[in-house]
Amino acid sequence: MNQPIRRVAIFCFLLIASLLVSSNYLQVVNADSYKSRVGNKRNVYDAFAYPRGQILTADGTVIANSVPSGGLLYKYQRQYPLKSQYGNVTGYKSIGYGSTDIESVLDGYLKGTDSSESVANFMDTLTGKSKKGGDVQLTLQNPVQQAAIKALGTETGSVVALDPTTGAILAMYSNPSFDPNGISSNNSDVSNPAANALANDKNKPNLNHAIQENYPPGSVFKVVTAAAALDTGTFTETGPTGAPATTLTWPGSSNQLPNENGATCPGTDLKSALEQSCNSVYGFVGDKLGAQTMAEYAQKFGFNNPSLKIPLSVAQSNFPAANQIGSDAVALAQDSVGQNGTQATPLQAAMIAAAVANGGVIMQPYLVDKETAPNGHVTYKGTDHQHELSQAMQPSTAATLDDMMQSVVANGTAQNAGVAGVHMGAKTGTAQRGTNQNPLAWFICYGTANGKKVAVAAMVETNNPNIRGDVSGVGFAGPVADAVLKAALGVS
């Protein structure tokens, strides 16, 4: 080979090598940046080119699936058979509006692209099987969810039911909810108006209020204060606390913390005061325990935890830090009865009841039971990931609180909410929101029957000003919690 030909050959080789390096850089090294570009429609086409996995309840009820759309570019469309009953749990998967909630958080599983499904997908490719996504089964039990929906009815509010021994969420519903089918439609004439209506709805029906919004918990927080009082040994169940029986006042201050309707507490011990939900006693106890201790026990119960996921993100429930309260006894007393700066999600309220029911241990709440790859192989089991979130109190303290909360049902503010044949403890609550708003009605409880155990929290918002003075936890939230408890335990 003469020198000119050799030079041309080397030049051609370098061009080919450069082309290979460049193409590999584009397709391998820089592939993700091109794939994630906003203008890249192939991702959207691909997401709707094959069936996405189903979302099911623990008992096999399908709450999200994919159906043929008849379109050329978007061959499948997401469908939600039970409409609004699970809308703010599943969220939606939409061509124009992306995805939310379970559809978003577990997108990889449902598309079949999660790393746990890579082997199954490779084998399906080799055998020529059609591409499809993996199924996600939740811990929610449809009969329990239906009981929550029916009991809440048209009332605004939220319900959460937990298995306190495992952390599995058995029901989670907030009203108002929304039907995801409109926004998930492949027809923009349907999805655009649905998305606009959702965005403009001041009631935020697409928000899962059970985990994504905080409320003043009112007197259900007294269970936390009682736990701190007993666990530290500062007070006993039936020993006098030294608190006033009527109204808690402070020297040199015009501030007062009265009992509901100005009532006189029949006893100033922890048990009697919990039975009748006495603010004067529990405000006094919180003040005596001090800001540091109260903040410590609130944290043990799950408050001030910014990283709680189920796997959906959970809004942080809040109890003011000790340095925020300082020496402000008035604020601390109000915080200790679930008012002022204390804020909780309904899930957090259910965790309070679950701690008592489970001997002081709070299990990590979780929503995903299992994930099944397209070939039927189970790639994730929620039972393999159950773990303790915190030890909220000693077992002996939980046993004492169990006795106290049973007494609330037998002799106190929850007398009308007892369920025959069920070992049951409860705490009622009303939480003030403002001078022109009705108080929130709260009810937390736990029960054991038929070899099953459940913890429930129900919160109801009433907006009729004519009933403002009649709102009570047992009257409005109690029937909701009772219905869910019965469904979970299989009792009538």
Side-chain angles (χ1 to χ4, degrees), residues 182-478:
I183 198 169
S184 69
S185 172
N186 289 5
N187 183 346
S188 60
D189 290 338
V190 175
S191 62
N192 288 344
N196 290 335
L198 205 56
N200 294 325
D201 193 328
K202 64 179 182 179
N203 293 315
K204 300 180 287 186
N206 57 318
L207 186 69
N208 189 336
H209 298 267
I211 60 171
Q212 294 169 339
E213 191 158 11
N214 274 311
Y215 305 87
S219 293
V220 299
F221 186 80
K222 288 171 183 169
V223 176
V224 177
T225 304
L230 294 165
D231 215 50
T232 57
T234 309
F235 297 93
T236 63
E237 179 181 11
T238 56
T241 59
T246 52
T247 300
L248 180 61
T249 59
W250 291 268
S253 172
S254 60
N255 288 295
Q256 297 182 335
L257 183 60
N259 294 321
E260 189 75 18
N261 300 319
T264 298
C265 195
T268 63
D269 59 283
L270 293 179
K271 185 174 184 178
S272 299
L274 196 71
E275 286 176 4
Q276 302 304 323
S277 201
C278 299
N279 292 334
S280 61
V281 174
Y282 276 90
F284 175 89
V285 167
D287 182 19
K288 292 301 179 184
L289 290 171
Q292 186 66 47
T293 297
M294 284 302 303
E296 176 188 337
Y297 274 87
Q299 185 170 342
K300 286 183 177 184
F301 273 85
F303 286 78
N304 303 333
N305 182 352
S307 59
L308 184 62
K309 295 181 185 296
I310 62 171
L312 300 175
S313 293
V314 178
Q316 177 182 308
S317 297
N318 293 302
F319 185 86
N323 60 4
Q324 291 177 305
I325 302 171
S327 59
D328 190 342
V330 179
L332 178 56
Q334 292 172 335
D335 292 327
S336 301
V337 298
Q339 293 287 172
N340 195 41
T342 306
Q343 296 279 307
T345 63
L347 173 62
Q348 174 64 72
M351 289 162 61
I352 292 173
V356 181
N358 197 40
V361 174
I362 298 179
M363 298 298 290
Q364 164 70 41
Y366 71 98
L367 189 59
V368 178
D369 182 34
K370 65 179 179 180
E371 186 274 329
T372 306
N375 68 349
H377 178 65
V378 176
T379 59
Y380 175 91
K381 288 183 180 180
T383 52
D384 292 339
H385 299 271
Q386 293 172 359
H387 64 275
E388 181 180 314
L389 182 67
S390 66
Q391 178 81 43
M393 56 192 149
Q394 300 173 62
S396 58
T397 300
T400 302
L401 265 177
D402 176 37
D403 178 68
M404 291 167 62
M405 291 178 72
Q406 286 185 68
S407 192
V408 173
V409 177
N411 309 303
T413 57
Q415 271 183 299
N416 297 328
V419 178
V422 175
H423 173 103
M424 180 178 174
K427 183 67 191 81
T428 62
T430 52
Q432 303 302 321
R433 293 186 289 168
T435 54
N436 295 319
Q437 290 181 294
N438 287 7
L440 297 175
W442 283 95
F443 194 94
I444 63 171
C445 64
Y446 54 85
T448 304
N450 298 326
K452 301 177 181 178
K453 187 177 286 189
V454 66
V456 182
M459 184 277 297
V460 176
E461 300 182 57
T462 61
N463 297 311
N464 181 354
N466 296 323
I467 63 169
R468 187 165 298 161
D470 299 322
V471 174
S472 68
V474 69
F476 286 83

